[in-house]
Amino acid sequence: MATVTLQDLTKVYDRSAPPAADRVSLDIGDEELMVLLGPSGCGKTTTLRMIAGLESITSGSLSIDEQVMNQVPAKDRDIAMVFQSYALYPHMTVKDNLAFGLRRRAVPRAEIERRVKEIAETLELSPLLGRRPHALSGGQRQRVALGRAIVRDPKVFLFDEPLSNLDAALRVSTRGEIAALHRRLGATMIYVTHDQVEAMTLGTRICIMSGGRVMQVGAPLEVYHAPVNTFVAGFLGNPPMNLIPARVAEGDGGRRLAVAGESLVLPPARMPALGPETALTFGIRPEHVTLRRDGAEAGASLAAEVLQTEALGAETIVLAALREDRAAKVMARVAGDAGFRVGESCRLQFDLAAAHVFGAEGDVLRPR
Amino acid sequence: MDVLKKSILLLLLSGYTLFAAGPFVWAAMMSLRTTTEIHYDHFGFPDPIHWEKYPEAWFNSNYAIYFTNSTQVVLAAVIIVTLIGAMAAHCLARYRFKLNRLVYFVLFSTIIFPPQITIISLFQILVQYGLYNSKLGLTLVYVAIQLPLTVYILESFFARIPSDLFDAARMDGYSDWQIFWKVSLPIAVPAVATTVILNFILLWNEFLFAVVLITDEVNRTLPLGIQRFIGDTQEDIGMIATGLMIAIIPVIVVYAFFSEKLIQGMTAGAVK
Ligand SMILES: Nc1ncnc2c1ncn2[C@@H]1O[C@H](COP(=O)(O)OP(=O)(O)O)[C@@H](O)[C@H]1O
Ligand SMILES: [Mg+2]
């Protein structure tokens, strides 16, 4: 039962460098699982540590349940955190690791016993209670770290890349466990990751960060389908959105784009009318690109040459270069049996009803 | 081939053991012989065995007093130096503050001075504060001279403890003071055991500061007691050996006890 509000939260470690977190504003609702997503070094951990109280706040304010928390020490914030390194106490058994936080909070002995036992059962740690962390596997340590957070029943859970030290299979199953945990506990959680699959599958909302700033906040599909700038567009999706430089050409009500010597005409729903010669970026996701040997529509396709194919079975990822501008490369996600070969000429057919247009600064341009 | 290798190794080890243990065994044998017997044959076996020399040293030559003094001074000094040293090391390793490295460097740089340099000023200071010729004074001096090395050893150990552990403990609701006692110190047991052994042995055998700063018979420590048997014209070799043995036994006990802890702690993979 908690809401967390960040208002212009800023962290400056070093005056000569740009802030590690720069005016981060975010409203996290009760029972929400907010994912902070961004490339390494974008300030996710810093933001999380300010919320935890492990890092001082340079400016801005942090509130939990409407109460300003800037000056409240970490130990009094009633927040639990799962660390990337797990940070289990090496000199304590699993049981003591789980109980450590409760002992401090003057929980009666019998109650501690009961809760530790219960958590150990749900996380399948019961046979390991007497062991010390060095005698556990990576996955087991991870579960102890989770258990140590859950057992305290805190107001807010923080996760800092909790799955990044697990192997791929374990990562998928633990991801499921965390999602189930969130549903079961109905707790407010803030989850940091650089992995967009984790973000898309776990988050009720995603906050995408870059260079210490919040780029966009929204539900997973919302940020996927309506990125506000080229950074978000190019970060989400695997492969990410194709971004191709373009200019506005005469005609078609200011919605004709000149790209690599040809033109594309965008529907009014996807683009505002713009004056000729405006420089912009044309964006289209790989799943909205198809390859045609013939029969491509004029005004919605470009000539290209296949550079590389990656057969994944059900589908094939094709990398193609535009014929008239070989520096501009386009990824397409086509059927697994499409059979295009490297060096082959083709036309790239775009589903322009799903196209995006970004201005010179990289911000999305939407029709009014 | 394997057998040959093993035999060579065994031979070398036996040689070394003889070399290392020889003087100890010799002193142990002399401690059970009278000075006259020793003069007659330096390396003879104790025959008859003069057990009575031990009570003689203990009761008639004040060894009971020396032993008590040594125990008091060294135990107190080791406990204080371990606590202060561990706290200082924890602080230097864990907190970022201005002049952190300067404090560390100044503390550490005192290691390079030979002890003779400080002894005159220490003497002056102790006299001034009425601590000269007292066990308390000697204890404080012992704490001071062993502190740099203790901090040095512990700091490097604390610095290797991942800071996430401290953060985790803070999230679990513990204050910095509690974190020191419940996280830092228990994890550092192997390093602490090392400094305890080292400090105990060095201080138990310490002679220079003791001889300068203690004059009264009732305040003498064991290394000074051995002096008693060295007269102006003759030395009572037999009793010196007995005194030595009384002095050495606690060192062996401490080493045996703590080194086991030490190995336990290390093999448990304490920091991971
Ligand atoms: N303790 C610190 N002192 C100085 N700079 C730091 C510190 N921690 C992080 N930084 C810097 O702040 C920026 C953001 O780091 P971080 O929040 O760890 O990124 P992320 O978790 O998104 O990978 C990085 O440029 C990093 O170098
Ligand atoms: Mg990080």
Side-chain angles (χ1 to χ4, degrees), chain B residues 103-177:
Chain B
V103 171
Y104 178 74
F105 178 75
V106 167
L107 195 64
F108 184 54
S109 64
T110 60
I111 289 181
I112 62 171
F113 296 124
Q116 290 84 345
I117 287 184
T118 49
I119 206 156
I120 297 173
S121 39
L122 269 176
F123 175 82
Q124 287 290 341
I125 294 169
L126 290 198
V127 169
Q128 202 148 12
Y129 286 93
L131 291 168
Y132 174 66
N133 195 17
S134 76
K135 284 184 266 184
L136 178 61
L138 190 62
T139 305
L140 292 179
V141 168
Y142 279 177
V143 169
I145 59 173
Q146 288 310 113
L147 195 62
L149 189 65
T150 309
V151 171
Y152 176 70
I153 293 174
L154 293 180
E155 201 268 353
S156 66
F157 193 90
F158 283 135
R160 292 214 318 268
I161 301 178
S163 63
D164 275 357
L165 278 184
F166 302 114
D167 291 339
R170 280 166 78 189
M171 299 305 294
D172 267 343
Y174 289 83
S175 67
D176 287 29
W177 173 251

Side-chain angles (χ1 to χ4, degrees), chain B:
Chain B
M1 185 62 212
D2 218 33
V3 177
L4 187 71
K5 256 193 201 164
K6 266 190 185 156
S7 341
I8 292 176
L9 192 67
L10 209 65
L11 213 70
L12 280 174
L13 284 177
S14 318
Y16 179 75
T17 308
L18 269 179
F19 172 74
F24 176 77
V25 174
W26 188 29
M29 290 196 309
M30 287 200 293
S31 75
L32 295 168
R33 305 169 73 212
T34 65
T35 302
T36 333
E37 285 171 353
I38 292 168
H39 280 313
Y40 183 72
D41 174 7
H42 295 199
F43 300 104
F45 275 94
D47 178 32
I49 299 175
H50 294 279
W51 292 114
E52 73 281 0
K53 287 180 66 196
Y54 279 82
E56 158 85 16
W58 189 260
F59 295 111
N60 302 344
S61 303
N62 287 348
Y63 264 69
I65 296 177
Y66 307 149
F67 194 94
T68 315
N69 290 344
S70 265
T71 310
Q72 286 172 347
V73 169
V74 173
L75 274 188
V78 167
I79 290 171
I80 296 172
V81 87
T82 304
L83 282 183
I84 296 182
M87 287 180 191
H90 172 83
C91 183
L92 289 170
R94 176 140 159 56
Y95 298 104
R96 265 178 299 168
F97 55 90
K98 260 190 202 146
L99 307 186
N100 176 319
R101 289 296 97 180
L102 184 69
V103 171
Y104 178 74
F105 178 75
V106 167
L107 195 64
F108 184 54
S109 64
T110 60
I111 289 181
I112 62 171
F113 296 124
Q116 290 84 345
I117 287 184
T118 49
I119 206 156
I120 297 173
S121 39
L122 269 176
F123 175 82
Q124 287 290 341
I125 294 169
L126 290 198
V127 169
Q128 202 148 12
Y129 286 93
L131 291 168
Y132 174 66
N133 195 17
S134 76
K135 284 184 266 184
L136 178 61
L138 190 62
T139 305
L140 292 179
V141 168
Y142 279 177
V143 169
I145 59 173
Q146 288 310 113
L147 195 62
L149 189 65
T150 309
V151 171
Y152 176 70
I153 293 174
L154 293 180
E155 201 268 353
S156 66
F157 193 90
F158 283 135
R160 292 214 318 268
I161 301 178
S163 63
D164 275 357
L165 278 184
F166 302 114
D167 291 339
R170 280 166 78 189
M171 299 305 294
D172 267 343
Y174 289 83
S175 67
D176 287 29
W177 173 251
Q178 292 166 319
I179 290 172
F180 171 73
W181 288 105
K182 297 193 182 213
V183 179
S184 283
L185 211 51
I187 292 176
V189 162
V192 171
T194 307
T195 61
V196 166
I197 294 179
L198 207 67
N199 287 331
F200 184 87
I201 294 174
L202 287 174
L203 293 179
W204 190 263
N205 297 327
E206 205 287 324
F207 180 75
L208 180 64
F209 286 94
V211 79
V212 173
L213 303 173
I214 298 287
T215 51
D216 278 358
E217 179 68 15
V218 291
N219 288 332
R220 285 180 171 222
T221 54
L222 277 170
L224 299 185
I226 292 162
Q227 251 196 326
R228 259 184 69 95
F229 301 112
I230 305 175
D232 288 339
T233 53
Q234 70 163 75
E235 300 175 353
D236 191 346
I237 291 285
M239 287 312 283
I240 289 178
T242 310
L244 263 179
M245 290 316 290
I246 291 178
I248 284 171
I249 286 162
V251 174
I252 293 171
V253 170
V254 165
Y255 185 77
F257 176 72
F258 272 96
S259 66
E260 189 165 320
K261 263 252 172 302
L262 192 80
I263 290 159
Q264 263 176 13
M266 281 175 172
T267 50
V271 177
K272 207 169 176 186

